[in-house]
Amino acid sequence: MSTHPVTLGTTSALTVSSLGLGCMGMSEFYGSPDEQSAVETIHRALDLGVTFLDTADMYGPFTNEQLVGRAIAGSSQGRDAVQLATKFGNERLADGTSLGVNGRPEYVRAAADASLQRLGVDHIDLYYQHRVDFTVPIEETVGAMSELIAAGKVRHLGLSEASAETIRRAHAVHPITALQTEYSLFTRDLEDEVWPVLAELGIGLVPYSPLGRGLLTGSISSTAELAEGDSRTAGYFPRFQGSALEANLALVATVREIAERLGCTPGQLALAWVLSHSGSDGVSVVPIPGTKRVRYLEENVAATDVVLTPELLAELEAAVPRDAVAGDRYGDMSTIDS
């Protein structure tokens, strides 16, 4: 298992590990939290060279940042070994109530201060706007974000789920280091308009859900197998529902066949596919698969050793045609900038 340094962005460059760790599921959305297991997973990640950690204020809400902060403080490597990313913009109350998307400048400043306090750090390496606020010009939001850099609270700026036009407008205000968005064998729509803009402007890509929210691991055959409280059972993700799930599982079966021939797991093959795109058109790609278990973390890191030849890539993409996946990736796409 091996990771290596990768540089996100060019004008405002941040060097991170070639694989990151999404920490969201340690606190919410994927079953009951287990803090001890989560901390052990973060510490093992750091030991394996996975030093790019991803969280957000809304996860928990608020508790995931606290968890990540405690894990970093208790690690043998220390804060300087970690590239810490968090996000603002999906505003929630402590009881979980959603207040919607907020990109107002005054909220940007308050949210950053609150995140720094919960994380227990003096700066955030990469600060994302989690979702675009359609009621606030992106120039105003990014302007406030850039003030955080001037104040030494943030080192680099990012956007999440932003369109090509929004990325251009934001980058004109202050260099954007990375775009975080969903990207996997099952979700490839960003290749049309967004990828060329990332290449042109020198912005890195940080794919979340590179394993299709677990579908591409081959470990899910029914939502009945998922834990109580898992958001994939609630109808929020159409790809996990009814006939769509059946169709998508048939695609996963073809991925499994190729993986077995290569001597890896379906999840490792799917993750290797994402990793193989790093450097294409000059775009650095650093996926952040999420897990709260050490064994799954180790499986994901081992994907960095899976080598895909052009012939294997072509075979895999033929097995999972870009438009073959059934169902939208979210039940409500109204917050996605497109």
Side-chain angles (χ1 to χ4, degrees):
M1 296 186 287
S2 59
T3 61
H4 59 273
V6 171
T7 299
L8 293 170
T10 55
T11 306
S12 178
L14 172 64
T15 300
V16 301
S17 55
S18 56
L19 189 72
L21 175 62
C23 299
M24 179 186 76
M26 296 175 178
S27 299
E28 194 179 14
F29 303 115
Y30 290 95
S32 301
D34 182 339
E35 178 162 336
Q36 181 177 350
S37 177
V39 170
E40 290 173 355
T41 300
I42 293 173
H43 287 173
R44 179 59 174 152
L46 298 178
D47 289 341
L48 292 172
V50 178
T51 55
F52 185 34
L53 305 182
D54 184 89
T55 181
D57 57 4
M58 72 161 287
Y59 301 157
F62 313 131
T63 56
N64 194 245
E65 287 184 324
Q66 295 168 338
L67 167 66
V68 171
R70 285 193 295 269
I72 293 172
S75 71
S76 59
Q77 289 88 343
R79 169 68 179 96
D80 291 343
V82 176
Q83 302 88 53
L84 181 57
T86 192
K87 315 176 196 74
F88 75 93
N90 282 326
E91 190 177 5
R92 298 176 75 188
L93 299 177
D95 65 3
T97 301
S98 175
L99 300 181
V101 178
N102 191 342
R104 296 192 300 274
E106 62 273 20
Y107 181 72
V108 174
R109 292 185 281 267
D113 286 341
S115 286
L116 286 167
Q117 183 176 27
R118 285 188 292 266
L119 290 162
V121 299
D122 63 3
H123 73 276
I124 296 162
D125 296 298
L126 179 57
Y127 199 41
Y128 293 101
Q129 182 184 22
H130 207 161
R131 290 293 186 271
V132 176
D133 185 346
F134 302 131
T135 69
V136 178
I138 191 66
E139 291 83 359
E140 294 183 15
T141 302
V142 175
M145 294 169 71
S146 69
E147 292 173 6
L148 299 173
I149 291 182
K153 297 177 181 182
V154 169
R155 299 284 172 83
H156 302 273
L157 304 185
L159 301 175
S160 179
E161 291 287 358
S163 68
E165 178 186 0
T166 297
I167 295 167
R168 284 189 184 280
R169 290 170 55 194
H171 193 75
V173 175
H174 188 280
I176 299 300
T177 295
L179 173 73
Q180 183 174 136
T181 194
E182 188 169 351
Y183 187 56
S184 71
L185 267 171
F186 271 14
T187 300
R188 299 177 57 186
D189 48 292
L190 69 84
E191 294 174 347
D192 293 331
E193 298 181 1
V194 170
W195 192 289
V197 171
L198 301 183
E200 176 190 342
L201 300 180
I203 298 172
L205 176 65
V206 179
Y208 72 85
S209 295
L211 299 175
R213 294 187 174 79
L215 270 179
L216 284 161
T217 66
S219 62
I220 299 172
S221 60
S222 167
T223 54
E225 303 169 354
L226 301 174
E228 183 179 353
D230 192 306
S231 59
R232 292 169 293 183
T233 68
Y236 188 57
F237 301 114
R239 292 177 178 178
F240 285 83
Q241 307 304 312
S243 60
L245 178 61
E246 294 179 12
N248 294 331
L249 290 176
L251 295 174
V252 174
T254 65
V255 176
R256 182 189 298 279
E257 291 173 2
I258 299 173
E260 288 176 349
R261 194 173 77 237
L262 296 177
C264 64
T265 67
Q268 288 170 335
L269 179 58
L271 192 51
W273 179 86
V274 176
L275 288 164
S276 73
H277 286 72
S278 190
S280 178
D281 300 321
V283 178
S284 295
V285 179
V286 180
I288 50 168
T291 184
K292 52 187 175 182
R293 299 283 183 265
V294 168
R295 65 188 180 104
Y296 295 132
L297 166 74
E298 292 176 342
E299 178 180 332
N300 291 339
V301 176
T304 61
D305 295 327
V306 177
V307 178
L308 298 181
T309 64
E311 292 77 18
L312 283 169
L313 285 170
E315 180 184 0
L316 188 55
E317 290 171 10
V320 185
R322 179 175 148 171
D323 298 325
V325 179
D328 290 334
R329 56 194 181 101
Y330 287 107
D332 178 7
M333 298 285 285
S334 63
T335 63
I336 304 300
D337 183 18
S338 59

